[in-house]
Amino acid sequence: MDRPKIIELLNRDMEDEHGAIIQYLGHAYAIGEGETACEIEAIAREEMRHLDWLAEAITDLGGEPSFKRGMMDMTGQTVSEWMQANIGLENGAIAQYREHIRLIDDPKIKRLLMRILLDEESHQRDFKHFAEKTLREKMADKRGNATGTTAENLSWGIKHEYTVILQYLLQSYAAKNEETRKELQDQAINEMQHMGWLAEKMIDKKGFPHLEHGKIEKTLEHNKMLKADIELEHKVADKYDQSAIQSTESDVKELFKKLSAHERYHAEIFKDLLE
């Protein structure tokens, strides 16, 4: 199989990993705090590791990683039905990876896909367990329909954090400098943590965390990229400071203050890389 075709297949896998990450995080946030939610978030992190491996393989082959969001199944009226949808997603991933392993003759890529396949088979078993457990324990959707300034500010933060997770990952794969690559990936991980805090707070406030991202800045020239990232981090910190001032609830106020401090720290890290 020629290189462009391998890149095409790996990008399809990467897009579906992206879809799985968001589907599983959406379910984890919606059922609130607890052991099951934590375990589902852990699966989402494993899918993010797969996305990272696939993106690096695509880059090594001379391709451009796709950050489109692939297949998702957000159907189901109960939490147990959500877990059944997750089983279905894993079934599709298992079938697709097996097919791609069969088609691709590059031994290094084949080995990578076989490693990912092992995780997907484990995830399938996990979700079968969760489907039984959530039905037995009558777990319920804890999302609400709260509106107002707090919900608007939390929603804005979720959308921003989701966007920069993808933006920093994309930039990291294009980075020629290893230190820059590592820092961008570290910041992407930190932004994913931020998205989780904001979504969980939205659930606490009886809101509905919509996991959608905005426009991804695809500037990849080193200095221009870092200057844009520094400017963005300061703007976002200002927005979080403003959100903290607007909030009358101490826990929400403290969250926005913490996020602002983190964003300004990111700006300083990027400034060091630029210098």
Side-chain angles (χ1 to χ4, degrees):
M1 180 180 288
D2 61 18
R3 186 170 293 192
K5 183 60 177 178
I6 295 175
I7 292 169
E8 179 186 338
L9 294 181
L10 295 180
N11 264 323
R12 192 184 308 164
D13 292 330
M14 186 174 167
E15 290 169 4
D16 286 345
E17 292 289 351
H18 182 179
I21 291 165
I22 299 305
Q23 179 166 321
Y24 300 162
L25 286 178
H27 290 164
Y29 300 149
I31 62 178
E33 296 180 0
E35 181 182 3
T36 301
C38 288
E39 289 176 347
I40 295 172
E41 284 191 60
I43 291 174
R45 286 193 295 272
E46 287 191 348
E47 305 293 16
M48 191 168 185
R49 188 180 303 121
H50 297 167
L51 182 145
D52 186 46
W53 291 343
L54 291 163
E56 290 184 350
I58 291 164
T59 303
D60 289 345
L61 290 169
E64 180 179 338
S66 171
F67 283 89
K68 293 179 183 177
R69 195 161 75 186
M71 185 179 298
M72 294 175 63
D73 181 359
M74 302 303 287
T75 60
Q77 300 300 312
T78 67
V79 177
S80 182
E81 288 173 350
W82 298 351
M83 299 304 109
Q84 292 292 343
N86 293 344
I87 294 168
L89 202 69
E90 291 294 340
N91 288 342
I94 289 167
Q96 182 165 290
Y97 278 121
R98 286 175 177 166
E99 178 65 6
H100 289 181
I101 290 166
R102 185 185 69 80
L103 292 171
I104 294 172
D105 50 14
D106 182 312
K108 184 177 179 181
I109 300 298
K110 193 182 283 282
R111 184 173 67 237
L112 170 63
L113 299 186
M114 290 174 69
R115 169 62 182 81
I116 294 174
L117 176 61
L118 290 174
D119 283 346
E120 305 300 359
E121 291 171 338
S122 175
H123 298 167
Q124 180 196 55
R125 293 190 293 272
D126 289 337
F127 283 122
K128 286 180 179 178
H129 166 67
F130 296 149
E132 296 171 358
K133 181 180 180 182
T134 55
L135 180 63
R136 183 174 63 250
E137 297 183 4
K138 296 182 175 61
M139 289 188 189
D141 183 353
K142 294 188 177 179
R143 295 172 297 187
N145 56 5
T147 59
T149 301
T150 294
E152 289 173 4
N153 288 339
L154 290 170
S155 289
W156 182 91
I158 291 167
K159 184 174 183 177
H160 161 74
E161 299 296 345
Y162 184 1
T163 304
V164 291
I165 290 166
L166 301 180
Q167 182 168 310
Y168 292 166
L169 286 175
L170 175 63
Q171 292 174 351
S172 76
Y173 303 129
K176 301 295 189 291
N177 180 286
E178 185 60 33
E179 183 183 4
T180 300
R181 175 183 294 233
K182 182 179 182 301
E183 284 296 349
L184 283 164
Q185 291 184 343
D186 284 348
Q187 302 320 319
I189 291 169
N190 196 202
E191 305 291 10
M192 187 175 181
Q193 187 178 37
H194 292 176
M195 186 173 77
W197 291 343
L198 289 159
E200 288 164 2
K201 188 60 66 178
M202 179 72 90
I203 297 294
D204 287 345
K205 302 304 176 183
K206 307 303 180 186
F208 193 118
H210 294 280
L211 303 184
E212 300 294 339
H213 64 79
K215 182 181 178 182
I216 301 169
E217 175 56 61
K218 294 187 176 181
T219 302
L220 300 178
E221 189 276 317
H222 182 82
N223 285 3
K224 188 176 180 181
M225 173 187 78
L226 289 174
K227 286 177 181 177
D229 291 342
I230 292 166
E231 182 179 0
L232 176 62
E233 292 290 351
H234 282 302
K235 284 183 178 179
V236 172
D238 290 344
K239 172 65 175 178
Y240 283 143
D241 283 339
Q242 180 185 8
S243 297
I245 291 170
Q246 291 175 335
S247 178
T248 58
E249 301 173 83
S250 61
D251 57 337
V252 176
K253 187 183 291 288
E254 289 306 312
L255 173 58
F256 284 131
K257 286 181 179 179
K258 180 164 70 171
L259 292 172
S260 173
H262 284 202
E263 303 297 354
R264 295 195 194 281
Y265 174 76
H266 295 172
E268 292 301 313
I269 293 295
F270 291 147
K271 185 178 177 182
D272 289 345
L273 292 173
L274 185 61
E275 293 174 351

CSV table of all heavy atoms in Angstrom, one decimal, residues 48 161 164-166 168-169 171-172 179-194 226 229 233 262-270 273:
chain,number,residue,atom,x,y,z
A,48,MET,N,-7.3,9.5,23.8
A,48,MET,CA,-6.4,10.6,23.5
A,48,MET,C,-5.0,10.2,23.2
A,48,MET,O,-4.3,10.8,22.3
A,48,MET,CB,-6.5,11.7,24.6
A,48,MET,CG,-5.9,13.0,24.2
A,48,MET,SD,-6.2,14.4,25.3
A,48,MET,CE,-5.5,15.8,24.5
A,161,GLU,N,-11.5,25.9,25.7
A,161,GLU,CA,-10.5,24.9,26.1
A,161,GLU,C,-10.5,23.7,25.1
A,161,GLU,O,-9.4,23.3,24.7
A,161,GLU,CB,-10.8,24.4,27.5
A,161,GLU,CG,-10.8,25.4,28.6
A,161,GLU,CD,-9.5,26.0,28.9
A,161,GLU,OE1,-8.4,25.4,28.4
A,161,GLU,OE2,-9.4,27.0,29.6
A,164,VAL,N,-8.4,25.0,22.0
A,164,VAL,CA,-6.9,25.0,22.1
A,164,VAL,C,-6.3,23.7,22.4
A,164,VAL,O,-5.1,23.5,22.1
A,164,VAL,CB,-6.5,26.1,23.2
A,164,VAL,CG1,-6.8,27.5,22.8
A,164,VAL,CG2,-7.1,25.8,24.6
A,165,ILE,N,-7.0,22.7,22.9
A,165,ILE,CA,-6.5,21.4,23.0
A,165,ILE,C,-6.1,20.9,21.6
A,165,ILE,O,-5.0,20.5,21.4
A,165,ILE,CB,-7.6,20.4,23.6
A,165,ILE,CG1,-7.8,20.6,25.1
A,165,ILE,CG2,-7.1,18.9,23.4
A,165,ILE,CD1,-9.1,20.0,25.6
A,166,LEU,N,-7.0,21.1,20.7
A,166,LEU,CA,-6.8,20.7,19.3
A,166,LEU,C,-5.7,21.5,18.7
A,166,LEU,O,-4.8,21.0,18.0
A,166,LEU,CB,-8.0,20.7,18.5
A,166,LEU,CG,-9.2,19.9,18.9
A,166,LEU,CD1,-10.4,20.1,18.0
A,166,LEU,CD2,-8.8,18.4,19.0
A,168,TYR,N,-3.2,23.2,20.1
A,168,TYR,CA,-1.8,23.0,20.6
A,168,TYR,C,-1.3,21.6,20.1
A,168,TYR,O,-0.1,21.5,19.9
A,168,TYR,CB,-1.8,23.1,22.1
A,168,TYR,CG,-2.0,24.5,22.6
A,168,TYR,CD1,-2.3,24.8,23.9
A,168,TYR,CD2,-1.9,25.6,21.8
A,168,TYR,CE1,-2.5,26.1,24.4
A,168,TYR,CE2,-2.2,26.9,22.2
A,168,TYR,CZ,-2.5,27.1,23.5
A,168,TYR,OH,-2.6,28.4,24.0
A,169,LEU,N,-2.2,20.6,20.0
A,169,LEU,CA,-1.8,19.3,19.5
A,169,LEU,C,-1.3,19.4,18.1
A,169,LEU,O,-0.3,18.9,17.7
A,169,LEU,CB,-2.9,18.3,19.7
A,169,LEU,CG,-3.2,17.8,21.1
A,169,LEU,CD1,-4.4,16.9,21.1
A,169,LEU,CD2,-2.0,17.1,21.7
A,171,GLN,N,-0.2,22.1,16.5
A,171,GLN,CA,1.0,22.8,16.5
A,171,GLN,C,2.2,21.9,16.9
A,171,GLN,O,3.3,22.0,16.4
A,171,GLN,CB,0.9,24.1,17.3
A,171,GLN,CG,0.0,25.1,16.8
A,171,GLN,CD,-0.2,26.3,17.7
A,171,GLN,OE1,0.2,26.3,18.9
A,171,GLN,NE2,-0.9,27.3,17.2
A,172,SER,N,2.0,21.1,17.9
A,172,SER,CA,3.0,20.2,18.4
A,172,SER,C,3.6,19.3,17.4
A,172,SER,O,4.8,19.0,17.3
A,172,SER,CB,2.6,19.5,19.7
A,172,SER,OG,1.8,18.4,19.3
A,179,GLU,N,11.7,20.7,22.4
A,179,GLU,CA,11.2,21.4,23.6
A,179,GLU,C,9.9,22.0,23.4
A,179,GLU,O,9.0,21.9,24.2
A,179,GLU,CB,12.2,22.5,24.1
A,179,GLU,CG,11.8,23.1,25.4
A,179,GLU,CD,12.8,24.2,25.8
A,179,GLU,OE1,13.7,24.5,25.1
A,179,GLU,OE2,12.5,24.8,26.9
A,180,THR,N,9.7,22.7,22.2
A,180,THR,CA,8.4,23.3,21.8
A,180,THR,C,7.4,22.3,21.7
A,180,THR,O,6.2,22.4,22.2
A,180,THR,CB,8.6,24.1,20.5
A,180,THR,OG1,9.6,25.1,20.7
A,180,THR,CG2,7.3,24.7,20.1
A,181,ARG,N,7.7,21.2,21.1
A,181,ARG,CA,6.7,20.1,20.9
A,181,ARG,C,6.2,19.6,22.2
A,181,ARG,O,5.0,19.4,22.5
A,181,ARG,CB,7.4,18.9,20.1
A,181,ARG,CG,6.4,17.7,20.0
A,181,ARG,CD,7.2,16.6,19.3
A,181,ARG,NE,7.4,16.9,17.9
A,181,ARG,CZ,7.1,16.1,16.8
A,181,ARG,NH1,6.4,15.0,17.0
A,181,ARG,NH2,7.4,16.5,15.6
A,182,LYS,N,7.2,19.3,23.2
A,182,LYS,CA,6.8,18.8,24.5
A,182,LYS,C,5.9,19.8,25.2
A,182,LYS,O,4.9,19.4,25.9
A,182,LYS,CB,8.0,18.4,25.3
A,182,LYS,CG,7.7,17.8,26.6
A,182,LYS,CD,9.0,17.5,27.4
A,182,LYS,CE,8.7,16.8,28.7
A,182,LYS,NZ,7.9,17.7,29.6
A,183,GLU,N,6.3,21.1,25.2
A,183,GLU,CA,5.5,22.1,26.0
A,183,GLU,C,4.1,22.2,25.4
A,183,GLU,O,3.2,22.3,26.2
A,183,GLU,CB,6.3,23.4,26.0
A,183,GLU,CG,7.5,23.5,26.9
A,183,GLU,CD,7.1,23.4,28.4
A,183,GLU,OE1,5.9,23.4,28.7
A,183,GLU,OE2,8.1,23.2,29.2
A,184,LEU,N,4.0,22.2,24.1
A,184,LEU,CA,2.7,22.3,23.5
A,184,LEU,C,1.8,21.1,23.9
A,184,LEU,O,0.6,21.3,24.2
A,184,LEU,CB,2.8,22.4,22.0
A,184,LEU,CG,3.2,23.8,21.4
A,184,LEU,CD1,3.7,23.6,20.0
A,184,LEU,CD2,2.1,24.8,21.5
A,185,GLN,N,2.4,20.0,23.9
A,185,GLN,CA,1.6,18.8,24.3
A,185,GLN,C,1.2,18.8,25.8
A,185,GLN,O,0.1,18.5,26.2
A,185,GLN,CB,2.3,17.5,24.0
A,185,GLN,CG,2.5,17.3,22.5
A,185,GLN,CD,3.1,16.0,22.1
A,185,GLN,OE1,3.8,15.3,22.9
A,185,GLN,NE2,3.0,15.6,20.8
A,186,ASP,N,2.2,19.3,26.6
A,186,ASP,CA,1.9,19.5,28.0
A,186,ASP,C,0.7,20.5,28.3
A,186,ASP,O,-0.2,20.2,29.1
A,186,ASP,CB,3.1,19.9,28.8
A,186,ASP,CG,4.1,18.8,29.0
A,186,ASP,OD1,3.8,17.6,28.8
A,186,ASP,OD2,5.3,19.1,29.4
A,187,GLN,N,0.8,21.6,27.5
A,187,GLN,CA,-0.3,22.6,27.7
A,187,GLN,C,-1.6,22.0,27.2
A,187,GLN,O,-2.7,22.3,27.7
A,187,GLN,CB,0.1,23.9,26.9
A,187,GLN,CG,1.4,24.5,27.4
A,187,GLN,CD,1.6,24.5,28.9
A,187,GLN,OE1,0.7,24.7,29.7
A,187,GLN,NE2,2.9,24.2,29.2
A,188,ALA,N,-1.6,21.2,26.1
A,188,ALA,CA,-2.9,20.6,25.6
A,188,ALA,C,-3.5,19.7,26.7
A,188,ALA,O,-4.7,19.7,26.9
A,188,ALA,CB,-2.6,19.8,24.4
A,189,ILE,N,-2.6,19.0,27.4
A,189,ILE,CA,-3.1,18.1,28.5
A,189,ILE,C,-3.7,19.0,29.6
A,189,ILE,O,-4.8,18.6,30.2
A,189,ILE,CB,-2.0,17.2,29.0
A,189,ILE,CG1,-1.6,16.2,28.0
A,189,ILE,CG2,-2.4,16.5,30.3
A,189,ILE,CD1,-0.3,15.4,28.3
A,190,ASN,N,-3.0,20.1,29.9
A,190,ASN,CA,-3.6,21.0,31.0
A,190,ASN,C,-4.9,21.6,30.6
A,190,ASN,O,-5.8,21.7,31.4
A,190,ASN,CB,-2.5,22.0,31.3
A,190,ASN,CG,-2.8,22.8,32.6
A,190,ASN,OD1,-2.3,23.9,32.8
A,190,ASN,ND2,-3.5,22.2,33.5
A,191,GLU,N,-5.0,21.9,29.3
A,191,GLU,CA,-6.3,22.5,28.8
A,191,GLU,C,-7.4,21.5,28.8
A,191,GLU,O,-8.6,21.8,29.1
A,191,GLU,CB,-6.1,23.1,27.4
A,191,GLU,CG,-5.0,24.1,27.2
A,191,GLU,CD,-5.2,25.4,27.8
A,191,GLU,OE1,-6.1,25.6,28.6
A,191,GLU,OE2,-4.4,26.3,27.5
A,192,MET,N,-7.1,20.2,28.6
A,192,MET,CA,-8.1,19.2,28.7
A,192,MET,C,-8.6,19.1,30.2
A,192,MET,O,-9.8,18.9,30.4
A,192,MET,CB,-7.5,17.8,28.3
A,192,MET,CG,-8.5,16.7,28.2
A,192,MET,SD,-7.9,15.2,27.5
A,192,MET,CE,-9.3,14.1,27.5
A,193,GLN,N,-7.7,19.2,31.1
A,193,GLN,CA,-8.0,19.3,32.5
A,193,GLN,C,-9.0,20.4,32.8
A,193,GLN,O,-10.0,20.3,33.5
A,193,GLN,CB,-6.8,19.4,33.4
A,193,GLN,CG,-7.1,19.2,34.9
A,193,GLN,CD,-5.8,19.3,35.7
A,193,GLN,OE1,-4.8,20.1,35.4
A,193,GLN,NE2,-5.7,18.5,36.7
A,194,HIS,N,-8.7,21.6,32.2
A,194,HIS,CA,-9.5,22.8,32.4
A,194,HIS,C,-10.9,22.5,31.9
A,194,HIS,O,-11.9,22.9,32.5
A,194,HIS,CB,-8.9,24.0,31.6
A,194,HIS,CG,-7.7,24.5,32.2
A,194,HIS,ND1,-6.9,25.5,31.6
A,194,HIS,CD2,-7.0,24.2,33.3
A,194,HIS,CE1,-5.9,25.8,32.3
A,194,HIS,NE2,-5.9,25.0,33.4
A,226,LEU,N,3.9,31.0,18.2
A,226,LEU,CA,4.1,31.2,19.6
A,226,LEU,C,3.6,32.6,20.0
A,226,LEU,O,3.0,32.8,21.0
A,226,LEU,CB,5.5,31.1,20.0
A,226,LEU,CG,6.1,29.6,20.0
A,226,LEU,CD1,7.6,29.6,20.3
A,226,LEU,CD2,5.3,28.8,21.0
A,229,ASP,N,-0.1,32.4,20.2
A,229,ASP,CA,-0.5,31.6,21.4
A,229,ASP,C,-0.4,32.5,22.7
A,229,ASP,O,-1.2,32.4,23.5
A,229,ASP,CB,0.4,30.3,21.6
A,229,ASP,CG,0.1,29.3,20.5
A,229,ASP,OD1,-1.0,29.4,19.8
A,229,ASP,OD2,0.9,28.4,20.3
A,233,GLU,N,-3.5,33.4,25.1
A,233,GLU,CA,-3.5,33.1,26.5
A,233,GLU,C,-3.8,34.3,27.4
A,233,GLU,O,-4.6,34.2,28.4
A,233,GLU,CB,-2.2,32.5,26.9
A,233,GLU,CG,-1.9,31.1,26.4
A,233,GLU,CD,-2.8,30.0,26.9
A,233,GLU,OE1,-3.5,30.2,27.9
A,233,GLU,OE2,-2.7,28.9,26.4
A,262,HIS,N,-3.5,29.9,35.5
A,262,HIS,CA,-2.9,28.9,34.6
A,262,HIS,C,-2.7,29.4,33.2
A,262,HIS,O,-1.6,29.2,32.7
A,262,HIS,CB,-3.9,27.7,34.6
A,262,HIS,CG,-3.9,26.8,35.8
A,262,HIS,ND1,-4.3,25.5,35.8
A,262,HIS,CD2,-3.5,27.1,37.1
A,262,HIS,CE1,-4.2,25.0,37.0
A,262,HIS,NE2,-3.7,25.9,37.8
A,263,GLU,N,-3.6,30.2,32.7
A,263,GLU,CA,-3.4,30.7,31.3
A,263,GLU,C,-2.3,31.7,31.3
A,263,GLU,O,-1.5,31.7,30.3
A,263,GLU,CB,-4.7,31.4,30.8
A,263,GLU,CG,-6.0,30.5,30.8
A,263,GLU,CD,-5.9,29.3,29.9
A,263,GLU,OE1,-4.9,29.1,29.2
A,263,GLU,OE2,-6.8,28.4,30.0
A,264,ARG,N,-2.1,32.5,32.3
A,264,ARG,CA,-1.0,33.4,32.3
A,264,ARG,C,0.3,32.7,32.4
A,264,ARG,O,1.4,33.1,31.9
A,264,ARG,CB,-1.2,34.5,33.4
A,264,ARG,CG,-2.4,35.4,33.2
A,264,ARG,CD,-2.4,36.6,34.0
A,264,ARG,NE,-3.7,37.3,34.0
A,264,ARG,CZ,-4.1,38.0,33.0
A,264,ARG,NH1,-3.4,38.2,32.0
A,264,ARG,NH2,-5.4,38.6,33.1
A,265,TYR,N,0.3,31.6,33.2
A,265,TYR,CA,1.5,30.7,33.3
A,265,TYR,C,1.8,30.2,31.9
A,265,TYR,O,3.0,30.1,31.5
A,265,TYR,CB,1.3,29.6,34.3
A,265,TYR,CG,2.4,28.6,34.3
A,265,TYR,CD1,3.6,28.9,35.0
A,265,TYR,CD2,2.2,27.4,33.7
A,265,TYR,CE1,4.6,28.0,35.0
A,265,TYR,CE2,3.3,26.4,33.8
A,265,TYR,CZ,4.5,26.7,34.4
A,265,TYR,OH,5.5,25.8,34.5
A,266,HIS,N,0.8,29.7,31.2
A,266,HIS,CA,1.1,29.2,29.8
A,266,HIS,C,1.7,30.2,28.9
A,266,HIS,O,2.6,29.9,28.2
A,266,HIS,CB,-0.2,28.7,29.2
A,266,HIS,CG,-0.9,27.6,29.8
A,266,HIS,ND1,-2.2,27.2,29.5
A,266,HIS,CD2,-0.5,26.8,30.9
A,266,HIS,CE1,-2.5,26.1,30.3
A,266,HIS,NE2,-1.5,25.9,31.1
A,267,ALA,N,1.2,31.5,29.0
A,267,ALA,CA,1.8,32.6,28.2
A,267,ALA,C,3.3,32.7,28.5
A,267,ALA,O,4.1,33.0,27.6
A,267,ALA,CB,1.0,33.8,28.5
A,268,GLU,N,3.7,32.6,29.8
A,268,GLU,CA,5.1,32.8,30.2
A,268,GLU,C,5.9,31.6,29.6
A,268,GLU,O,7.0,31.8,29.2
A,268,GLU,CB,5.2,32.9,31.7
A,268,GLU,CG,4.6,34.1,32.3
A,268,GLU,CD,5.3,35.4,31.7
A,268,GLU,OE1,6.5,35.4,31.6
A,268,GLU,OE2,4.5,36.3,31.4
A,269,ILE,N,5.4,30.4,29.6
A,269,ILE,CA,6.1,29.3,29.1
A,269,ILE,C,6.3,29.5,27.6
A,269,ILE,O,7.4,29.3,27.0
A,269,ILE,CB,5.2,28.0,29.3
A,269,ILE,CG1,5.2,27.6,30.8
A,269,ILE,CG2,5.9,26.8,28.5
A,269,ILE,CD1,6.5,27.3,31.4
A,270,PHE,N,5.3,29.9,26.9
A,270,PHE,CA,5.4,30.2,25.4
A,270,PHE,C,6.4,31.3,25.2
A,270,PHE,O,7.1,31.3,24.2
A,270,PHE,CB,4.1,30.5,24.8
A,270,PHE,CG,3.1,29.3,24.8
A,270,PHE,CD1,1.7,29.5,24.9
A,270,PHE,CD2,3.6,28.0,24.6
A,270,PHE,CE1,0.9,28.5,24.9
A,270,PHE,CE2,2.7,26.9,24.6
A,270,PHE,CZ,1.3,27.2,24.7
A,273,LEU,N,9.8,30.0,25.2
A,273,LEU,CA,10.1,29.2,24.0
A,273,LEU,C,10.5,30.2,22.9
A,273,LEU,O,11.3,29.9,22.0
A,273,LEU,CB,9.0,28.3,23.6
A,273,LEU,CG,8.7,27.2,24.6
A,273,LEU,CD1,7.4,26.5,24.1
A,273,LEU,CD2,9.8,26.2,24.6
